[in-house]
Amino acid sequence: MIKFNDEQGAYTLEIGEIVFRWEEEPAGDYENQAKIIAANYKSNLSRIIEFMHTDIQEMYGNISLEEIEEKLGKPMIDIDNGQVTYCEQTFDDIHIFSFEFLDDEFNEMQYFSIDG
């Protein structure tokens, strides 16, 4: 069920281990769209990790794809902006990882960043 999250100043919906976020209260069939994106995220997680792998290795050294998956933490997906953010990653306690996706199937991803 969608709820307003005061801490984030946004509407959120959690499906499994994925948090969805909207700045404005979503209309229409937002829950079904979030379920589809959640399923696509999970089925493409290995591709997503491969997309981030080189940059994470540059920052944290030789780390395997499996270790990355373990340390990413819960993703937050902003459907309106097409962005996935990892605020709970456990590589360190100061950085936030994020990337943009251009379609709901995660076939096109760009602009991976490590900010902090």
Side-chain angles (χ1 to χ4, degrees):
M1 184 170 157
I2 194 165
K3 62 182 177 181
F4 188 78
N5 183 314
D6 289 322
E7 184 178 307
Q8 292 183 26
Y11 291 89
T12 60
L13 171 69
E14 191 162 339
I15 297 176
E17 291 293 313
I18 301 172
V19 176
F20 289 88
R21 179 182 188 283
W22 295 266
E23 300 246 344
E24 303 290 328
E25 187 170 11
D29 197 10
Y30 66 88
E31 191 168 352
N32 191 48
Q33 182 186 17
K35 286 178 182 179
I36 290 168
I37 293 173
N40 289 339
Y41 174 87
K42 289 177 185 177
S43 66
N44 288 292
L45 185 56
S46 61
R47 284 186 52 247
I48 293 167
I49 291 170
E50 287 176 21
F51 168 71
M52 298 185 281
H53 188 229
T54 301
D55 292 322
I56 289 174
Q57 278 193 319
E58 285 180 20
M59 182 87 173
Y60 298 101
N62 191 18
I63 188 161
S64 71
L65 298 173
E66 293 80 19
E67 287 176 288
I68 293 172
E69 184 174 353
E70 290 172 16
K71 293 183 173 203
L72 278 179
K74 187 182 296 189
M76 181 180 303
I77 298 178
D78 186 323
I79 294 175
D80 293 334
N81 294 327
Q83 185 173 41
V84 178
T85 305
Y86 301 92
C87 298
E88 299 176 2
Q89 59 81 16
T90 59
F91 290 89
D92 61 33
D93 59 354
I94 59 172
H95 291 99
I96 295 173
F97 298 177
S98 64
F99 70 89
E100 293 180 8
F101 61 99
L102 304 177
D103 60 359
D104 291 352
E105 291 82 31
F106 294 92
N107 289 320
E108 293 185 58
M109 298 172 281
Q110 63 185 11
Y111 305 124
F112 176 67
S113 66
I114 300 173
D115 297 318

